[in-house]
Amino acid sequence: MTRIASHRGGTLEFGDSTPQGFTATAAMALEEVEFDVHPTVDGAIIVHHDPTLEGTTDSRGAIADLTLAEVKSATINYGAGGHPLTLEELCDLYAPSTVDFRCEIKPGVNGRPYQGFVPKVVDELCRHAMLERTGFSSFMLESLDELASAAPGRPRLWLVGPSVLRQVGARGVVELCQAHDIPEIGVHIEMADEQLAATIRDAGIDFGCWAAHSRPQIEKALSLAVKVFTTDRPTLALAIRDAFRRKEATR
Ligand code: FE
């Protein structure tokens, strides 16, 4: 069964990385909640997409230069007055949920991984008994390498961007996965097709997609039988998957 990951708590339905989006996702009959993490200057871990606040809140600045209190004072656009959550708060929210974590390790404003951040994220998840329910993802091979040593045995998914895929091709992606011991990749839904899926799967690597937000994109992900796809519209994705399953069952 293709798994659904509610991207940033379902951005197109609830706003980007909002408390109500994460709360709603926790009660949904889907498998994963996708979120991104950044450190504050005083050691907290914030669940937010951008490394800065200005894109999606009423505040400004790089999260890594701000204190927890400063980040908490930001109000998220289209978030019904909500403020950014800490990873600790997200763990508490999902402790009673059947939805598991898909934690993306993001770079800072300079596009580079935060120094020493990955072990802190792993420790925080471990402290709240969520590490065993967490799969990780990243566009950065360096962060995936760090995860392999900080959280041995936990799922790691390489997000292969369109420009990387165009540059190295499917064979190049397979070679990089083998060199970095990466068991699973995700590509942008518009880059996915049967041939790419077959090449990746034939190499023993799991194949998934991201950014399946429209009905045709969600139906494409289901038709390709990807392992998992992320979507900004989890409610729509669930309805389409239910209909897809009913159709498959009557075949
Ligand atoms: Fe993400």
Side-chain angles (χ1 to χ4, degrees):
M1 183 193 72
T2 292
R3 296 164 66 86
I4 297 172
S6 175
H7 186 232
R8 308 184 205 164
T11 298
L12 285 171
E13 293 177 1
F14 305 102
D16 191 336
S17 305
T18 64
Q20 75 267 38
F22 288 121
T23 302
T25 294
M28 288 184 192
L30 47 71
E31 291 71 35
E32 300 178 19
V33 59
E34 192 272 356
F35 61 91
D36 313 279
V37 284
H38 300 273
T40 65
V41 73
D42 51 354
I45 300 172
I46 299 295
V47 176
H48 195 72
H49 179 263
D50 296 351
T52 53
L53 293 175
E54 47 268 34
T56 56
T57 79
D58 64 352
S59 300
R60 301 190 61 80
I63 292 171
D65 295 334
L66 300 171
T67 63
L68 172 60
E70 286 168 332
V71 174
K72 272 287 180 190
S73 71
T75 300
I76 306 172
N77 301 337
Y78 312 108
H83 310 287
L85 294 174
T86 60
L87 181 56
E88 183 173 26
E89 288 168 334
L90 197 73
C91 286
D92 289 345
L93 199 52
Y94 279 78
S97 169
T98 57
V99 178
D100 289 333
F101 276 1
R102 169 162 161 170
C103 175
E104 183 181 343
I105 304 296
K106 279 278 189 225
V109 282
N110 61 0
R112 299 285 307 142
Y114 297 109
Q115 281 300 309
F117 183 50
V118 162
K120 288 180 184 156
V121 173
V122 171
D123 283 353
E124 186 81 331
L125 290 166
C126 194
R127 191 159 48 240
H128 295 279
M130 285 300 288
L131 183 59
E132 293 306 308
R133 292 174 51 196
T134 302
F136 295 94
S137 65
S138 187
F139 283 96
M140 301 177 292
L141 289 169
E142 195 176 330
S143 295
L144 292 168
D145 288 344
E146 277 188 275
L147 283 162
S149 38
R154 294 313 305 154
R156 288 174 301 127
L157 183 156
W158 181 27
L159 297 161
V160 181
S163 61
V164 171
L165 184 53
R166 283 192 199 98
Q167 202 178 138
V168 305
R171 289 308 316 167
V173 167
V174 167
E175 282 167 24
L176 283 163
C177 286
Q178 287 162 346
H180 291 266
D181 200 21
I182 291 166
E184 181 173 1
I185 68 158
V187 302
H188 191 282
I189 186 69
E190 295 302 329
M191 301 295 285
D193 59 32
E194 291 285 0
Q195 197 187 339
L196 176 61
T199 304
I200 299 301
R201 287 170 179 150
D202 287 351
I205 298 160
D206 287 332
F207 183 74
C209 293
W210 40 276
H213 307 316
S214 69
R215 176 176 286 274
Q217 288 172 328
I218 292 164
E219 285 174 346
K220 180 182 177 184
L222 292 167
S223 299
L224 286 169
V226 302
K227 183 178 175 187
V228 57
F229 66 91
T230 64
T231 180
D232 281 354
R233 298 170 77 185
T235 309
L236 177 68
L238 273 168
I240 294 173
R241 186 175 68 176
D242 285 348
F244 191 86
R245 273 185 185 158
R246 281 196 297 273
K247 212 164 87 187
E248 293 282 291
T250 55
R251 252 186 208 164

